Amino acid sequence: MNNMKTRKAKLDIKSGRVNLTHGAGGRAMNDLIEVIFKNAFDNDFLAQGNDQSAFDVGEGRMVMSTDGYVITPMFFPGGDIGSLAVHGTVNDVALSGAKPLYLSAGFIIEEGFPLADLKRIVDSMGAASRAAGVPIITGDTKVVNKGMADGVFITTAGVGVVPKGLELSGDKARVGDKIIVSGTLGDHGVAVMSKRENLSFEVEIESDSAALHTLIADMVAGHGAALRCMRDPTRGGLAATLNELAEQSNVGMCIREADVPLKPQVVAACELLGLDPLNVANEGKLIAIIAPEAADDLVALMRAHPLGQDAAVIGEVVADERNFVRMKTAFGGERMVDWLSGEQLPRIC
Amino acid sequence: MNNMKTRKAKLDIKSGRVNLTHGAGGRAMNDLIEVIFKNAFDNDFLAQGNDQSAFDVGEGRMVMSTDGYVITPMFFPGGDIGSLAVHGTVNDVALSGAKPLYLSAGFIIEEGFPLADLKRIVDSMGAASRAAGVPIITGDTKVVNKGMADGVFITTAGVGVVPKGLELSGDKARVGDKIIVSGTLGDHGVAVMSKRENLSFEVEIESDSAALHTLIADMVAGHGAALRCMRDPTRGGLAATLNELAEQSNVGMCIREADVPLKPQVVAACELLGLDPLNVANEGKLIAIIAPEAADDLVALMRAHPLGQDAAVIGEVVADERNFVRMKTAFGGERMVDWLSGEQLPRIC
């Protein structure tokens, strides 16, 4: 909306707080959108001020994905709820092999939330979106009474376009396929839990929150024909992702503990926090299932990308009607890698 | 996900409640998705169980829109938060002149929320989506601790395809254009407020919540070339929408009170509740700005559609550098129609 020309927006960013008028559809909401959102997201789509944005597409196959973000604390080492809301949805779109094109963003804000924090989150979101080259082209803000939400919840949706002929899906894993992870596991969950528990370590653990679409584009360009599917091991971690894929493809999975990349400080923190790194959320890692003959080449290609430097083959798809995921332990034994059964880490993303 | 074949989901719909495990990425979350969401939304996209869904598109122009829904109470005369979350986003997509194609849905659920109520909401969403012919192809659920949200918040995003050559935008209103509304104003807001305040009237007031895309398709087919823009007067009502458009197009607006369609029971309820019907939210109405020569024909065409039976020309676009919206009152006077200044109706949508 271009009403800035006629009236100066009144918003005390430094010490002001969100109130119910900021969600009421009137001038105050317009001010909030102008000063905080449009400046941060800064693109011609939003500048038009319509309730939707239009874009041109070529003939082809598109994907759509959405995720809600309710993480607490909202600011954590390596990121915040804003950058996470961009990275997470960019990744969900890209993991289909698609090039992410556009995002939408819906905010649910608790009355009383500091405008300065909101600006920090939204600025971070804008920066993450620009860095990824995926603009936020449409959005919505709602304000609920104090006590009816917890700070800010963000829901982003994304669309992208899939290269012709590429159809990755979780039901395509076949016996003999290799399981690849793009890097160390557990960094995000441990960073957030450490912050929440006020733990500090000699080496600070940062969230791995990152947009993986350029890594994925390299993988698809190099070995698209051999790729079966990709997933990001977020909530529930590697364990949940592999169990999901095993059930979807009606196979089993067998991984080797010694080959799973883990940072020593994450291992140490997990012991302290009583967490299993295989259940801990990641926000900048992916799992790929690929035909065996292409696996080593794919890993080499991934390692050439900054976000895939620690990529590794960690196991294989095996025949198993019960769809079990098993792990050969470092001590030569074997254990089940199950879904986590309770709630280990609420509001981790 | 197709894990139903191997294990029976455990979910006590009748008396169970949502708990944190339902958002943890493990089996319980899978059960919730299988039993409540996939059954209700029932389409092949979701059945694939991936984190995103793919669809084919032809070359052209697409639109994307999003809205969050935080309405209280969640069940109200004429609808609920689920049907509203479908109708509202279908409308935002369609108001660009687009044919809505697909929706995404993100749920933020408070721990302890009754599963039966969740099922009722999600079933209603599925029914609204099927009735509109716009499937929900991807989604996400998050659960937050008790007291950290209020029941259920839903954020939907939608995509659609715009007919070639059609570019409606809020900055296209020109002096002399006619302002049309598709029907009676204020029904949604008054229905929700009456429910909230436990008021009952001789004639029950129902929300007008509806998907307007078939009405809009008729309007575009008949008079697309003459249409400048369309908007739905939701939060902030007709007053906010006209003020927004006036500023976007740098014009003024002049409407006639006698021509604004209002149900007598809504007028009475507004008096009782101290509301101005022009500020009250609608969820199944649209405002169209159109070149003057086509206005009467457009109204006639709209009246032939069940959702446009009370369509009327209510005023004109006028020259005004201050972008004022004015109304000629029924008593022959004139008054300003301003944005609402405070928060009249929190959580109305």
Side-chain angles (χ1 to χ4, degrees), chain A residues 235 341-343, chain B residues 10-12 16-33 36-37 107 109-115 118 140-144:
Chain A
R235 269 182 296 180
S341 54
E343 171 48 290
Chain B
K10 286 171 194 129
L11 215 59
D12 174 5
R17 289 178 180 273
V18 174
N19 62 51
L20 290 170
T21 69
H22 288 124
R27 281 208 191 278
M29 189 171 97
N30 240 3
D31 290 348
L32 187 80
I33 290 169
I36 295 203
F37 292 94
F107 293 80
I109 310 170
E110 184 188 11
E111 179 189 12
F113 191 70
L115 284 168
L118 183 63
D140 179 61
T141 55
K142 293 286 185 300
V143 179
V144 298

Side-chain angles (χ1 to χ4, degrees), chain B residues 272-286:
Chain B
L272 197 69
L273 291 160
L275 303 174
D276 179 343
L278 300 188
N279 292 135
V280 174
N282 309 275
E283 292 291 348
K285 298 292 156 40
L286 63 82

Side-chain angles (χ1 to χ4, degrees), chain A residues 202-224:
Chain A
E202 267 177 54
V203 184
E204 188 180 51
I205 299 166
E206 289 206 337
S207 165
D208 57 345
S209 175
L212 295 167
H213 57 315
T214 59
L215 170 63
I216 292 167
D218 289 354
M219 294 168 67
V220 168
H223 297 279

Side-chain angles (χ1 to χ4, degrees), chain A residues 3 51-52 65 92 140 247, chain B residues 3 51-52 65 67 92 247:
Chain A
N3 62 328
D51 285 341
Q52 67 293 111
S65 188
D92 273 344
D140 179 61
E247 296 198 342
Chain B
N3 61 327
D51 286 341
Q52 66 293 113
S65 188
D67 251 326
D92 274 344
E247 296 197 342

